[in-house]
Amino acid sequence: MYQTFGIIGMGVMGKSLARNLASKGYKLSLYNRYSKGIEENIAIDFINSFEELSEAKGFEDLNAFVQSLEKPRKILLMVKAGDVVDHLIEKLIPILNQNDIIIDGGNSHYKDTERRMEYLDTKGIGYIGSGVSGGEEGALKGPSIMPGGKSSSYNEISKILESIAAKDNQGSPCCAFIGSGGAGHFVKMVHNGIEYAEMQLIAEVYSLMRFGLLLDPLEISAIFKEWNNGTLSSYLLGITADILTKKEGDNYLIDLILDKAGNKGTGSWTSIAAAELGVSISMINEALFARYISAFKEERVKSDAIYNKVNRKEIFDLNVDQIRNAYTVARIVNHHQGMHLMSAASETYKWSLNLSEIARIWTNGCIIRSQLMQNLISILNATDRILHFPDIVTLVNNLDDDIKEVTAIAITNNHSVPCFSAACNYLSAYTNKFVSANIIQAQRDYFGAHTYKRVDDESDTSYHTNWNE
């Protein structure tokens, strides 16, 4: 009797997805590599730990694993992105048949996905690059799934993926075919970039309240819970409210956590992609760089002592409502920048991305699910530039003074708010028909004869000036 679906990689996400699939009635073959004394009987021990996996089969031999699957075989890779995926593909090719399908559910770079897809196409093997968001809990209960590749390959696995995905508020699966090539992994990459900025913004809000308004974590948690019951509702805000109530003895646990943030690379990939496509995602960039500077803890401690600038005894001349309004605007800017990046990629790579549909599958299951994302479904049906939508224009205009005030007071008090600052600067430039780029163009022409356009000539003629004459 053959099994319906195979999973390679029994890490946290692989195991959770396996349990999710099994609970939907799929008969699974599960493979994990064998490493004597390090990784032994991983799949079999996992199967024996959960009743829903009673019909699953565990393997440490790759050939036996493949042969256990019904044809055309459908195999999900849940392994570390990078060379590991390539090595595994090379091992699979000789033992797969034409029309078998490999699904890469890890955080692979979209260009790697496109390369692998083209390569496997020459072997007659289907390849889907699929973003999966939701963490361990989402993978188990229903993640947001972003598959890309050939639509014919997706059609073979769509029923399976859609059955395990989270459901939106209409009961539809938070899984949809994103587009050709590496579109799925690109969209997941941007998701992670937006996530970086959303997390950094909440950290800045917390920091302003804790060190600027001198509120304790429990008070901040109460504020976040109140916000989370309204238009600012989001998964990240909700979990942060929970985090701030956790105590260890007499101490809040948050005060015992070292302020050095990690990252796994997808944030930098988003920044690089934006640079290649010529799109400003300043908030994602600043969130990434904030993580980088946090890593230099020892240098920051030394610099703090040298400069002695930080004043954490006087209350900032701010109130909670102003911070709330600034946070509201900054989140809009962050989502605008992320959607702008996907729009540019769609045009450049001919992916025909449906931004409204992407927002829909991000309304549940994924880390950046929120009420704002729910609202973006209709907004992105009207325009791919969120900041141009009439209701958003009104909202931003009404709250614009507060984000400026919050940012200015924070900076004046030597309080770092990189994402708030980035949002302010972006809005100032994006809503101003004149910026200082004419000076840049003159400088480029002066030292490099790069030429420039003129405001009094609409013919698109390029000009050069001999600036020394």
Side-chain angles (χ1 to χ4, degrees), residues 56-309:
K57 296 179 180 179
F59 296 89
E60 290 179 329
D61 178 87
L62 193 60
N63 185 66
F65 162 79
V66 169
Q67 298 309 318
S68 73
L69 295 169
E70 66 181 18
K71 298 176 184 178
R73 301 179 181 96
K74 305 167 188 69
I75 298 172
L76 174 64
L77 309 185
M78 294 302 301
V79 298
K80 186 178 179 180
D83 292 342
V84 173
V85 178
D86 289 312
H87 294 324
L88 193 49
I89 287 172
E90 289 302 326
K91 289 182 179 179
L92 284 170
I93 287 173
I95 51 178
L96 292 180
N97 295 110
Q98 287 201 354
N99 300 319
D100 288 348
I101 298 171
I102 298 172
I103 309 149
D104 179 3
N107 278 327
S108 289
H109 192 279
Y110 71 100
K111 290 185 178 179
D112 286 339
T113 299
E114 296 213 332
R115 170 178 56 78
R116 291 165 185 151
M117 198 171 297
E118 291 173 4
Y119 173 55
L120 285 167
D121 191 51
T122 66
K123 309 291 184 182
I125 298 170
Y127 193 76
I128 291 288
S130 182
V132 179
S133 176
E136 180 180 5
E137 182 180 16
L140 178 62
K141 298 180 179 179
S144 174
I145 307 177
M146 298 149 257
K150 281 189 173 181
S151 58
S152 57
S153 294
Y154 177 68
N155 290 338
E156 291 291 325
I157 59 167
S158 60
K159 182 179 178 182
I160 297 173
L161 295 187
E162 290 171 12
S163 72
I164 64 168
K167 301 297 185 289
D168 66 14
N169 63 6
Q170 300 298 314
S172 297
C174 290
C175 172
F177 181 67
I178 299 298
S180 62
H185 275 141
F186 186 94
V187 167
K188 176 55 163 57
M189 177 190 74
V190 177
H191 167 287
N192 288 10
I194 294 171
E195 178 185 307
Y196 269 52
E198 289 291 283
M199 294 171 72
Q200 177 63 27
L201 275 173
I202 293 174
E204 291 176 22
V205 169
Y206 161 79
S207 184
L208 284 166
M209 291 183 179
R210 186 76 191 275
F211 304 114
L213 302 185
L214 304 185
L215 302 178
D216 69 27
L218 200 59
E219 291 173 306
I220 300 170
S221 174
I223 293 168
F224 283 1
K225 286 178 180 177
E226 180 185 347
W227 291 3
N228 205 43
N229 286 327
T231 57
L232 287 176
S233 173
S234 76
Y235 170 76
L236 285 169
L237 191 64
I239 66 168
T240 309
D242 290 343
I243 287 167
L244 295 177
T245 65
K246 188 72 172 179
K247 297 191 81 170
E248 192 171 281
D250 293 331
N251 299 307
Y252 288 102
L253 182 56
I254 194 67
D255 292 335
L256 302 177
I257 297 176
L258 186 66
D259 58 334
K260 290 173 68 171
N263 72 92
K264 291 188 175 181
T266 50
S268 60
W269 288 354
T270 314
S271 294
I272 292 167
E276 291 174 343
L277 291 165
V279 176
S280 173
I281 54 164
S282 53
M283 290 186 64
I284 295 172
N285 292 341
E286 288 297 339
L288 174 67
F289 297 147
R291 293 195 187 191
Y292 288 166
I293 200 168
S294 77
F296 293 92
K297 176 68 173 181
E298 295 75 15
E299 286 190 43
R300 289 189 289 110
V301 170
K302 184 177 180 180
S303 299
D304 184 292
I306 292 171
Y307 285 91
N308 195 28
K309 283 187 173 184

Side-chain angles (χ1 to χ4, degrees), residues 327-402:
Y327 176 58
T328 300
V329 174
R331 292 188 66 228
I332 291 170
V333 174
N334 178 33
H335 286 72
H336 168 91
Q337 291 182 344
M339 294 297 173
H340 188 180
L341 176 56
M342 288 192 290
S343 177
S346 180
E347 183 176 347
T348 299
Y349 301 125
K350 311 301 180 189
W351 283 336
S352 300
L353 299 184
N354 184 332
L355 299 185
S356 175
E357 181 69 351
I358 290 169
R360 185 193 68 77
I361 66 172
W362 285 353
T363 57
N364 201 9
C366 74
I367 302 300
I368 60 173
R369 60 187 185 265
S370 68
Q371 181 57 50
L372 173 59
M373 195 66 72
Q374 183 68 44
N375 298 341
L376 289 181
I377 298 173
S378 59
I379 290 172
L380 290 165
N381 261 327
T383 175
D384 60 358
R385 298 293 188 269
I386 296 170
L387 286 169
H388 288 176
F389 190 73
D391 290 350
I392 295 294
V393 172
T394 300
L395 180 63
V396 171
N397 276 334
N398 289 340
L399 306 182
D400 189 48
D401 287 345
D402 284 330

